[in-house]
Every structure is written in C-alpha cells, then in structure tokens.
Amino acid sequence: MADQPGTSHPEIREAVRKLCAGFPGEYWRTLDRDRAYPTEFVRTLTEAGFLSVLIPEEYGGSGLGLSAATAVLEEIHRSGCNGGACHAQMYTMGTVLKHGSQAQKETYLPAIASGELRLQAFGVTEPTAGTDTTRISTFARREGDKYIINGQKIWISRAEHSDLMVLLCRTTAREDAARPSDGMSVLLIDMRKAVGAGLTIRPIRTMLNHATTELFFDNLEVPADCLIGEEGKGFRYILDGMNAERILIAAECIGDGRFFIDRSSAYAKDRSVFGRAIGENQGVQFPIARNHVQLSAAALMVDHAAALFDEGKPCGSEANMAKMLASEASWAAADTCIQTHGGFGFAEEYDVERKFRETRLYQVAPISTNLILSHVGTHILGMPKSF
Ligand SMILES: Cc1cc2nc3c(=O)[nH]c(=O)nc-3n(C[C@H](O)[C@H](O)[C@H](O)COP(=O)(O)OP(=O)(O)OC[C@H]3O[C@@H](n4cnc5c(N)ncnc54)[C@H](O)[C@@H]3O)c2cc1C
C-alpha cells in the first residue's frame, strides 16, 4: 500500500495518463452522442498491456495484482476517459483463473491476456430476480455432452463486444436445491457461436454510454465442457469475482472524483465574477475542499481493500465499503462540479455533465448502496436481516 492514496505504481499512472492524453474530451463526446463503443481506446489499452495486469505471467499477463489494476482505472477516470467499456476484461477472467480446469486456463487465459479473445461480459442480473440472485431462472439443462439454455438476462454490458461471457444460470431449480444459493452454475459461453443460434442480444439505450444489453436464450446449445468448476457451485464462484469488481469500480469512482475536484478547483481559481475569482468565496471553496476530504478517506479504503485482496485475505466487507464510500464521494464531487461551473456545467464541451451522468451509475451497479448497508448492518454489526 502506498503512503498516500493516489501515489502507488507511479510508472503505471504516468503511462496511463500519457495514453489517455490521446483520447481527449472530444473523442468521448462524439461516442457519447452516438452511444458508440470506444474501440480505438480499448485497442490501445489492450496493446499497452493494461488490461492483463491481473493475469499471472505464466498465462501471458503481467501478474501485478489488484492494486496495480486500481491505479490503471483510477488514472483512466481522472483523465476524463471511462474504463467501463473494458474494465471487465481485467477481472471477469478471475472465475476461469480460480475455478477453471487446467485445460480451460491454458486455452483461454493467454488469448485473453493478448487481447485476441475478449472476455468482458458477465451475465448475472435478470429482470424478475433483481438483486436477489438466488431467484434467477435462466436454466441450463444437461443433455448428454451439452447444455440447453433458456431464459433472459438484463443489463449485461459489453455483450456485443465480447467473444466470451461468464454466465450464471440455474442447473437445479431453486425449490429442488438444498439451499437457495445452491444449484447455480457458471458456464463460459462462446458468444461468436451463440449469437443467432439461440442467443439474441438487444441493446438498451441508457443515460450514459455503457453498451449494456438484454439477452434472450432460446434453446441455446453449448458444449458441456464450458462448465467452470463443479455444477451447482456457481454462486460461490461468482462471489469471489465480485470483490475484485467492487474494488476496481471503487477505483474508477476515485478517478472520477479526482477529475471533478481538479476541474472544480481550476474553474474556481479562473472564473471571475463580481471582480474576484469565485473560489475566493468560501461558499464555492468549501464544498470542493469537503469533496477532497471525503475522496481522500474513500481512497484509503480502496487501497486497503485492494491490499487485502492481493494478500489473499477475506475482503468482502472492505470491498463493499470501499465501493460505497468511493461512489458517494465521486457523486458529491460531481454535484459540486456542476454547481461550481454554473451554466457551463451543463454545456457538453466541458465534459462535466457527461462525467456527472457516468459516475451516477456506481451507486446502483454493480451493487446498490442499500444492499451494501444491509451487508454492513447484518454481517458486520449482527443486526437482523430484512430479507
Ligand atoms: C448500466 C448498467 C450496467 C450493468 N451491467 C451489468 C452487467 O454487466 N452484468 C450484470 O449481471 N448486471 C449488470 N447490471 C445490473 C446491476 O448490477 C443491477 O442493476 C444492480 O445490482 C441493482 O439491481 P436491480 O437493478 O435489479 O435493482 P433491484 O434489485 O430491483 O432494486 C431496486 C432498488 O431497491 C433497493 N432494494 C432492493 N431490495 C432491497 C432491500 N431488501 N432493502 C433495501 N433496499 C432494497 C435497491 O437498493 C435498489 O436501489 C448493470 C446495471 C446497469 C444500470
């Protein structure tokens, strides 16, 4: 862990900043207008090796760990770019790495590390289950050497830009399983073969440019050897990956927060009204200072959670708390940034309104704030469960 948040891995941070300088606001604004995918940005990050930092060296990655990955994503977001288009390429492979067979690891991980294969779709959420994952009903029925999948998923991001997808589905109905969290399995779906052969992808237009989709499975046949780990244990497998996801998304929020604070303080120094810089007014200055205080505290929690993860220690509560603190700090900084800019905060060309929309997502996804509070209230503080 670095002494000061935001200072770990200085070489990585500098290299990411340099790369991001080639993708200025205008690049993101154009894509945002068309809800188009940042193909060139993702290609450049891949070629520079930044998306394979979590893949061990023996499989072609740099094996640097989660702390390095948080530095990459924080700098991307601080630069005004957005890692949402590709962050899952970093961590979704963790399910294969931790629970896949040796053959699966050798087949997929080197190709993911090189970027030849994109594994950046993670299919969990369903329209009728919501956050209660044990209620998912997408079902994979085993028939000989294949599974036949039927069901529906929603909010599955980057599905159109992925060669592979980690899919959580039921292989035993909830009512037939010993516990509600049993009977779910993880399948690694080859999207190149599935689309048009039983899988339909329908894009969902949202308030931000996030390439998210709905998926419809209609008797999709996949080979049985795409099962990861043991049948029925999938829920446990995906929980592991969710800690990495929450910590990395928290790092994106820290980057967003720094973007807003950089922009707010620069504008407050520069903009003159009533014959003086608006930042001289404490009504303008103090909210920005408060944002810095909140963000610095959140960044310490992100670093702590990442360090625990890298040491292989339990980090579920810390990952949740880091994600909650960071998403709230970035959202507060976003609000201040709009206010500091006055009318210009609403003008597209300042990029503030775009980042404002983008950072709002993280209080809902990948897990909503209420569910984190519920985890803290029941798992850490031992209070009764509401569900
Ligand atoms: C842009 C975007 C991208 C996404 N990408 C993915 C993806 O790639 N893969 C994937 O699987 N999912 C993805 N998601 C889904 C995301 O993880 C869920 O939207 C999120 O977990 C919340 O679930 P929900 O939308 O079903 O809300 P619900 O579960 O319906 O909850 C609605 C609201 O009620 C609250 N609530 C529910 N139950 C309780 C309770 N017991 N106590 C207190 N409050 C409660 C929640 O906090 C929430 O605010 C994405 C979502 C979005 C919007």
Side-chain angles (χ1 to χ4, degrees), residues 87-88 91 120-133 153-159 166 204 206-213 242 245-246 361-372 374 386-387:
H87 55 204
Y91 57 77
Q120 48 179 3
F122 185 44
V124 176
T125 310
E126 296 191 5
T128 53
T131 314
D132 187 358
T133 305
K153 295 276 171 188
I154 193 165
W155 307 123
I156 309 309
S157 303
R158 303 161 296 271
V166 163
I204 308 174
T206 59
M207 71 186 260
L208 73 163
N209 185 16
H210 200 79
T212 200
T213 69
M242 283 175 171
E245 180 181 51
R246 284 171 202 179
L361 172 67
Y362 294 137
Q363 281 180 76
V364 170
I367 180 81
S368 62
T369 305
N370 271 1
L371 270 292
I372 293 177
S374 167
S386 68
F387 54 86

Side-chain angles (χ1 to χ4, degrees), residues 338-372:
I338 292 259
Q339 200 67 19
T340 305
H341 281 76
F344 289 111
F346 297 83
E348 279 185 2
E349 65 172 296
Y350 280 73
D351 294 312
V352 171
E353 62 82 36
R354 171 177 60 82
K355 290 294 267 181
F356 179 89
R357 287 183 278 117
E358 289 174 357
T359 213
R360 182 62 181 82
L361 172 67
Y362 294 137
Q363 281 180 76
V364 170
I367 180 81
S368 62
T369 305
N370 271 1
L371 270 292
I372 293 177

Side-chain angles (χ1 to χ4, degrees), residues 1 47 59 111 124 172 228 238 247 251 280 301 314 355 363 369 378:
M1 213 164 118
E47 286 172 0
Y59 296 114
V124 176
T172 303
I228 309 252
I238 62 148
I247 296 168
E280 280 181 38
M301 183 57 98
K355 290 294 267 181
Q363 281 180 76
T369 305
T378 58

Side-chain angles (χ1 to χ4, degrees), residues 246-356:
R246 284 171 202 179
I247 296 168
L248 291 176
I249 282 175
E252 294 186 350
C253 294
I254 298 296
D256 280 348
R258 293 197 197 286
F259 168 90
F260 291 121
I261 293 167
D262 290 346
R263 291 294 179 100
S264 295
S265 50
Y267 192 79
K269 282 182 248 176
D270 189 51
R271 170 77 168 167
S272 181
V273 183
F274 295 114
R276 59 179 175 175
I278 58 168
E280 280 181 38
N281 303 297
Q282 292 177 334
V284 174
Q285 187 185 104
F286 284 6
I288 304 169
R290 180 179 295 277
N291 294 149
H292 177 76
V293 173
Q294 289 172 333
L295 199 86
S296 301
L300 283 171
M301 183 57 98
V302 177
D303 283 357
H304 175 54
L308 288 176
F309 185 96
D310 282 338
E311 288 162 24
K313 293 185 178 157
C315 63
S317 295
E318 290 77 7
N320 272 316
M321 291 192 285
K323 189 266 179 189
M324 177 177 147
L325 288 172
S327 65
E328 291 190 343
S330 71
W331 177 237
D335 193 42
T336 306
C337 197
I338 292 259
Q339 200 67 19
T340 305
H341 281 76
F344 289 111
F346 297 83
E348 279 185 2
E349 65 172 296
Y350 280 73
D351 294 312
V352 171
E353 62 82 36
R354 171 177 60 82
K355 290 294 267 181
F356 179 89

